Amino acid sequence: MELNELRVDVIRLCERAVYAGWGLHVLRALWAMAEQPVPEKEEDRLNLPMQSVSYEALCLRLNGYMRLAAVDSLANLSDADRVKVGGVILLAMANRIFLPHVPAEHAARQPTEALLGHFSAWLVDGAPAEQYVAEAYRYRSRFGTTVTAIRTDPEYEELFDAMPSAGLDYAMGEGHWDLSSHWHGFGRFLAAQGADWQALRVLEQKADGVEFVSDDEYGNDEAHAALLGLLDAQRDGYVDVALKPHDAALAELVDGVLATLRREPARAA
């Protein structure tokens, strides 16, 4: 694969940034790189004067979390190669940042290490994908937030779900891993350890079944949906706070992995 000059598809990046809530930040960065002011009309802001930009130039304007969306939006790679590059970054995130939070005595510790081993064998050593896919299925069925495993370990399930346990269906189908969602899942795990998060959980439980609007089922459902929306927005704020101390390490990890892959492209092929 060609990694000497990494390019980022600006439309893909903007779509992911808007979805994640930092669309205006990336638009300002891209228009600044074009040495033009951001258009006043919202409908004109996506009419960027370029289709792609250099990753190295762009990353100077992005934090670690935002770099993940840039990796998922690399333009000068095939879908398969983008999955490989993103996979190596996900593997590094899981090994260096996520795994240390799984206690050595926890029942999931050895299965998590086995999952990452099979993932590495496929990514780096060229082992058959079927071995990783089978291990990922076993892992998420036992520990992840799937239908079969949900709420069996609420303290750690967000952390387990952040691991590369989804197999290859989504990644190969979409041409990327959605790395930001894995990082956000790690943040949810961190934030859930706090008293404020637990207070929101108690509030949500107490509100379940409460009639906010009398004699109006539709209005009552809307009120419950509005409350859940407020709670989710508050949780997102807690996640941002929890992830902030880890962002510099993430940025260093992402750029370090990309630099290594550019020096040794055969290892990611």
Side-chain angles (χ1 to χ4, degrees):
M1 68 182 70
E2 183 55 60
L3 287 171
N4 291 328
E5 173 58 18
L6 292 174
R7 306 287 298 179
V8 178
D9 184 307
V10 298
I11 297 302
R12 287 181 183 174
L13 178 63
C14 287
E15 288 173 349
R16 295 191 174 98
V18 168
Y19 179 77
W22 49 279
L24 187 56
H25 176 98
V26 78
L27 283 170
R28 286 171 175 164
L30 291 170
W31 282 103
M33 291 177 71
E35 299 183 341
Q36 296 182 34
V38 180
E40 293 185 6
K41 293 183 179 179
E42 186 174 351
E43 59 269 25
D44 294 334
R45 291 174 183 170
L46 282 176
N47 293 326
L48 290 152
M50 67 292 221
Q51 294 182 328
S52 67
V53 293
S54 161
Y55 172 84
E56 289 187 347
L58 176 64
C59 77
L60 298 176
R61 303 170 186 267
L62 304 180
N63 63 19
Y65 171 67
M66 295 172 183
R67 279 168 163 83
L68 297 178
V71 170
D72 277 338
S73 304
L74 290 175
N76 56 325
L77 300 178
S78 68
D79 285 353
D81 284 345
R82 194 181 309 109
V83 167
K84 287 282 187 175
V85 171
V88 175
I89 288 174
L90 179 55
L91 176 65
M93 288 164 55
N95 270 319
R96 301 180 200 175
I97 301 177
F98 302 167
L99 183 61
H101 290 269
V102 183
E105 67 277 7
H106 195 287
R109 178 68 186 218
Q110 289 187 349
T112 302
E113 292 173 347
L115 170 71
L116 299 182
H118 281 282
F119 191 40
S120 177
W122 170 66
L123 278 170
V124 180
D125 301 327
E130 290 80 6
Q131 295 177 10
Y132 158 63
V133 170
E135 189 68 25
Y137 176 79
R138 285 191 292 268
Y139 185 87
R140 67 178 180 268
S141 295
R142 184 177 176 188
F143 301 109
T145 53
T146 63
V147 173
T148 55
I150 192 166
R151 308 310 298 170
T152 57
D153 194 345
E155 183 178 358
Y156 288 97
E157 65 181 12
E158 295 284 2
L159 178 61
F160 300 149
D161 211 40
M163 298 292 179
S165 59
L168 293 174
D169 288 351
Y170 176 88
M172 288 301 191
E174 297 295 326
H176 64 87
W177 286 95
D178 194 5
L179 295 171
S180 299
S181 69
H182 288 269
W183 188 245
H184 193 264
F186 173 61
R188 285 179 65 86
F189 160 73
L190 295 176
Q193 313 308 309
D196 291 339
W197 187 283
Q198 299 304 321
L200 290 183
R201 180 173 291 174
V202 171
L203 178 60
E204 184 175 355
Q205 291 171 345
K206 288 184 176 180
D208 187 34
V210 173
E211 187 178 53
F212 292 125
V213 182
S214 301
D215 302 321
D216 184 350
E217 183 177 353
Y218 179 76
N220 191 60
D221 288 344
E222 279 196 326
H224 274 276
L227 174 61
L228 292 177
L230 290 172
L231 295 179
D232 285 341
Q234 191 67 37
R235 289 190 182 100
D236 285 342
Y238 294 153
V239 169
D240 291 341
V241 171
L243 286 174
K244 190 173 182 179
H246 301 273
D247 193 80
L250 176 64
E252 183 179 358
L253 180 152
V254 172
D255 291 348
V257 169
L258 291 178
T260 299
L261 290 176
R262 277 182 283 184
R263 288 195 300 269
E264 303 177 39
R267 289 180 61 81

